[in-house]
Amino acid sequence: MGVTSAARSDRPSRPAVLAIDAGNSKTDAALIAADGTVLGTGRAGGFQPQRTGTGAALDVLGKAVAEAAEAASLPLPAPGAPYADQVSACLANADLPVEERQLAEAIGARGWGAATEVFNDTFAILRAGLTGAGPPCGVAVVCGAGINCVGMRPDGRTARFPALGQLSGDWGGGGGLAAEALWWAARAEDGRGGTTELAAALPGHFGLDSMAELIEALHLGALAQRRTHELVPVLFSVAAAGDRVASALVERQADEVVALASVALARLDLLDEEAPVLLGGGVLTAGHEQLDGRIAAGLARRAPHARVSVVAAPPVLGAGLLGLDALGALPGAQGKLRAHFG
């Protein structure tokens, strides 16, 4: 996103919203005026409190906040004087309501806003994909590094899943798909499984000749584990060419998206009325024809009234909209904020 600023001769002394979207790999922050004008933005690294500890993870958020404040030409606030009226933070790894509450307290203690709300980052996709002001109504499924789903009704009811991986019954996402592709490719090469073009395509992506070489490189650290995410497009490419094993993985991922969305809609009593189902995250925004087609067909069967759309807007937009919602901003503010983020 980079750092941006706007002419601010007539802006109020304190922004209305400090919006934060923090994922595993990056953090975006935006300071927003009450009329929806973006005053400044900042970016920092990923937010991983389970790995680094809460304090260090919040320090990363603080770097993005400080960069946004510099872009907005805001002086460092005096002790007890917040940057904004409302902090609206949508955070990866805030998977449970108790984690949201704990992180809200920790962020509140930093003094960045007069009030603080923390949401799981999937709520940012939900809000970014819904036009207009007011509380969200609909369901969002995010499939990026992992997979998650949330839903809301205007009366405040929510539907959500723990999204803790295998522990909570989840399957897929970029990390899961890469691991599955490696598993099937390894077994194909050593004879324990059926044949699949993945056995050649996965090591070939890294310039290696066999799965044995790829396994050794990953195990000994010659190839960083984080680079396995590069194998997800390879999996989809092999599936598109007709490989049975790869196609089965793509189809299972689609079925998981359909299951999450339809269960969330049912929990919210939205199956029998027109309701948006918003898809976000790198896997679902990449335009994979096989995946997209099976999702559409599955939702047509299980949730025929659902209106499916892909959310390409940056999630920090959703965090900002949630902040404006909390302050009761006028609809014009929502539109101006959307226009800024395209």
Side-chain angles (χ1 to χ4, degrees):
M1 182 184 303
V3 181
T4 63
S5 59
R8 289 175 286 277
S9 60
D10 60 346
R11 67 169 172 81
S13 59
R14 185 167 80 188
V17 176
L18 167 58
I20 301 172
D21 171 72
N24 284 293
S25 60
K26 65 177 176 62
T27 296
D28 286 321
L31 285 160
I32 303 164
D35 68 353
T37 300
V38 175
L39 306 172
T41 65
R43 173 166 285 185
F47 181 74
Q48 301 182 36
Q50 288 86 342
R51 184 174 66 84
T52 66
T54 300
L58 293 187
D59 288 343
V60 173
L61 302 189
K63 292 178 182 178
V65 172
E67 190 173 279
E70 181 181 1
S73 299
L74 291 180
L76 288 174
Y83 282 112
D85 296 326
Q86 180 80 20
V87 175
S88 177
C90 295
L91 309 177
N93 301 304
D95 297 305
L96 305 175
V98 64
E99 292 173 316
E100 291 174 335
R101 292 193 294 271
Q102 290 169 347
L103 287 167
E105 291 176 3
I107 292 174
R110 297 278 172 134
W112 296 336
T116 300
E117 283 190 296
V118 168
F119 308 86
N120 176 268
D121 58 344
T122 310
F123 284 99
I125 299 296
L126 176 62
R127 188 63 188 90
L130 297 174
T131 59
C137 181
V139 166
V141 181
V142 173
C143 191
I147 189 167
N148 199 1
C149 174
V150 300
M152 290 186 72
R153 287 193 69 113
D155 61 11
R157 280 191 289 162
T158 62
R160 62 190 300 170
F161 299 84
L164 299 174
Q166 188 174 19
L167 175 64
S168 56
D170 306 310
W171 189 91
L177 287 170
E180 287 281 344
L182 286 164
W183 190 88
W184 284 99
R187 292 173 68 87
E189 182 171 276
D190 69 20
R192 287 178 293 171
T195 60
T196 171
E197 291 300 316
L198 292 170
L202 300 190
H205 173 76
F206 297 111
L208 302 174
D209 294 326
S210 68
M211 278 302 299
E213 290 184 18
L214 177 53
I215 291 165
E216 179 179 304
L218 290 169
H219 177 66
L220 297 179
L223 191 65
Q225 287 284 339
R226 67 177 180 274
R227 292 197 63 192
T228 58
H229 78 275
E230 298 174 25
L231 298 176
V232 178
V234 179
L235 166 65
F236 279 97
S237 178
V238 172
D243 184 83
R244 179 183 59 82
V245 171
S247 291
L249 294 176
V250 172
E251 290 171 0
R252 183 176 177 187
Q253 183 64 92
D255 293 345
E256 286 291 312
V257 172
V258 171
L260 284 165
S262 58
V263 169
L265 289 167
R267 289 181 184 176
L268 295 172
D269 299 317
L270 290 173
L271 276 177
D272 295 326
E273 58 185 272
E274 191 173 277
V277 171
L278 307 162
L279 307 179
V283 174
L284 295 180
T285 60
H288 298 299
E289 186 175 341
Q290 184 179 6
L291 180 71
D292 296 346
R294 191 171 176 96
I295 290 172
L299 285 173
R301 290 192 304 271
R302 296 188 58 173
H305 300 289
R307 293 183 285 107
V308 184
S309 59
V310 174
V311 179
V316 71
L317 167 63
L321 291 170
L322 286 167
L324 291 175
D325 291 344
L327 295 175
L330 296 174
Q334 316 277 355
K336 181 176 285 189
L337 185 59
R338 285 188 183 280
H340 176 89
F341 288 107

